[in-house]
Amino acid sequence: MEQVVLLAEDGSAIGVEDKAVVHHADTPLHLAFSSYVFDSDGNTVLTRRALHKKTFPGLWTNTCCGHPAPGEDIAQAVVRRLRDELGMAVSEPELLLPAFRYRAEMDGVVENEMCPVFRVLTDDDPTPNPDEVDSTERVAWTKFASDVLDGTREISPWSRLQVAELVKLGPDPLDWPVADRAGLPEAASPLR
């Protein structure tokens, strides 16, 4: 049974809960991550969430989201989920937004997460796992970001908020500065 790490407001772990039951109308704050895969031309891979997912089914979003297991380093969780969801073997994820947090609701189901954001660099093509991902699309970052910010691109609520923060890092996603892991929630880096 997959579990998620429950968090106090300060980002420390206060328990675990089965992923299958944690998301509901009063979802407790928990640890997650988002990642954006970029190729050498600065294009990013978007994914459409599988239509049968409990939370935000069929919605287009960033490359991969997930939850680290209890005791798992968050960067290693990114690697694990990219492999499981998209069949991508990737190198070390780079931390961009260590303190990102959001709350979103769809059809009475709430996401309530401290959700650090990572960049992953690879030119590999994804091979989606249909249990997780309905389809993928590779898009130019600048066009994608512009369309998200002006409202012409439908995207998940968390990705919309993340894009607004990521564009502040500069126009070229390949040149964005890597953030210090010290900014992560305490529970995200048990080895810190």
Side-chain angles (χ1 to χ4, degrees):
M1 178 69 64
E2 188 176 351
Q3 295 186 311
V4 300
V5 178
L6 303 179
L7 300 177
E9 287 296 320
D10 67 359
S12 61
I14 58 170
V16 298
E17 182 67 73
D18 290 344
K19 180 184 171 190
V21 299
V22 78
H23 297 98
H24 44 72
D26 192 28
T27 301
L29 182 62
H30 60 280
L31 184 60
F33 67 83
S34 286
S35 64
Y36 290 77
V37 167
F38 290 96
D39 64 23
S40 56
D41 292 323
N43 300 310
T44 191
V45 175
L46 304 180
T47 57
R48 184 172 187 234
R49 295 169 61 83
L51 300 177
H52 61 269
K53 288 186 84 70
K54 178 180 179 180
T55 57
F56 299 88
L59 198 61
W60 282 96
T61 193
N62 55 290
T63 311
C64 182
C65 300
H67 303 88
E72 180 182 31
D73 182 79
I74 197 164
Q76 291 309 305
V78 173
V79 171
R80 174 178 55 83
R81 292 307 298 165
L82 282 168
R83 181 190 63 238
D84 294 350
E85 290 189 17
L86 294 164
M88 301 180 93
V90 299
S91 60
E92 189 66 23
E94 298 171 314
L95 180 62
L96 298 173
L97 303 174
F100 182 79
R101 179 180 176 172
Y102 78 99
R103 185 179 186 282
E105 181 179 347
M106 181 181 193
D107 299 329
V109 178
V110 172
E111 287 283 10
N112 184 18
E113 300 178 336
M114 287 188 184
C115 184
V117 179
F118 292 83
R119 169 182 56 202
V120 178
L121 305 174
T122 182
D123 286 321
D124 288 350
D125 287 324
T127 306
N129 173 348
D131 289 337
E132 300 289 342
V133 177
D134 176 74
S135 53
T136 66
E137 179 184 0
R138 192 178 298 267
V139 298
W141 170 259
T142 52
K143 173 73 170 141
F144 167 67
S146 174
D147 289 350
V148 167
L149 295 177
D150 72 15
T152 58
R153 165 71 87 154
E154 289 294 321
I155 198 76
S156 68
W158 59 89
S159 188
R160 180 175 308 286
L161 295 168
Q162 291 163 358
V163 168
E165 293 301 311
L166 291 170
V167 298
K168 295 176 185 176
L169 300 177
D172 185 349
L174 303 182
D175 288 337
W176 291 338
V178 175
D180 188 334
R181 285 180 63 96
L184 285 168
E186 178 185 316
S189 190
L191 307 175
R192 176 168 64 170

